[in-house]
Amino acid sequence: MSSWSGRRVDHVGIAVRDLDAALAFYRPLAGPPSHRELVAGDGVEVAFLKLGETELELLASRGPDSSVQRFLERRGEGLHHLALGVADLTAELAEWRARGALLIDEVPRPGARGRQVAFIHPTSAMGVLVELCQRAS
Ligand code: ZN
């Protein structure tokens, strides 16, 4: 079980309808974004806000078929995913697979900020969409 050690909450993802309005809302709480990026492959624009040891990731849809757009239509704005920072994403995915988890990404793929990411389906994590992201070392 050694590969399970060392993980931590890397960030909490929040789906928003209007990214600029959300940034204005969070600015008194967390200051300006540390990073903002259009992730064209996912049809989303994201902004990261440092908040102590962890970060918030605000996600806005930039495509009609994006998963964030579907989320907003189904559930409205709100908590979207929990991201765990891990040291070895490939090993972590193997652990989740061995536990019978439904993997949205069978292999790591590029995410925001040039990091490797993979998502676990909420049905395998007590209703929470889990993002695994390999920490920058
Ligand atoms: Zn994320």
Side-chain angles (χ1 to χ4, degrees):
M1 300 293 281
S2 58
S3 64
W4 286 99
S5 66
R7 72 176 62 72
R8 65 179 184 83
V9 174
D10 185 85
H11 63 268
V12 175
I14 300 170
V16 301
R17 294 192 192 284
D18 183 330
L19 188 56
D20 289 311
L23 285 170
F25 173 81
Y26 277 105
R27 193 176 182 99
L29 182 72
S34 57
H35 182 79
R36 186 167 173 164
E37 177 180 349
L38 180 65
V39 185
D42 289 345
V44 297
E45 185 172 1
V46 300
F48 287 88
L49 299 166
K50 287 195 184 306
L51 202 60
E53 299 278 302
T54 187
E55 289 180 286
L56 302 180
E57 178 187 26
L58 305 177
L59 306 105
S61 177
R62 292 294 182 259
D65 301 324
S66 74
S67 61
V68 170
Q69 184 60 37
R70 290 195 299 274
F71 180 94
L72 288 167
E73 286 168 4
R74 207 168 54 243
R75 299 168 64 170
E77 292 181 303
L79 290 175
H80 181 264
H81 65 272
L82 174 68
L84 301 178
V86 301
D88 184 338
L89 180 51
T90 300
E92 184 85 9
L93 269 177
E95 296 268 5
W96 283 86
R97 188 180 294 111
R99 296 173 74 196
L102 178 57
L103 308 182
I104 295 174
D105 299 297
E106 288 286 336
V107 295
R109 64 179 179 83
R113 301 189 289 191
R115 297 224 205 140
Q116 292 291 303
V117 303
F119 283 85
I120 307 298
H121 198 276
T123 55
S124 295
M126 307 185 93
V128 177
L129 176 62
V130 175
E131 174 187 346
L132 307 173
C133 59
Q134 188 154 323
R135 290 193 305 263
S137 49

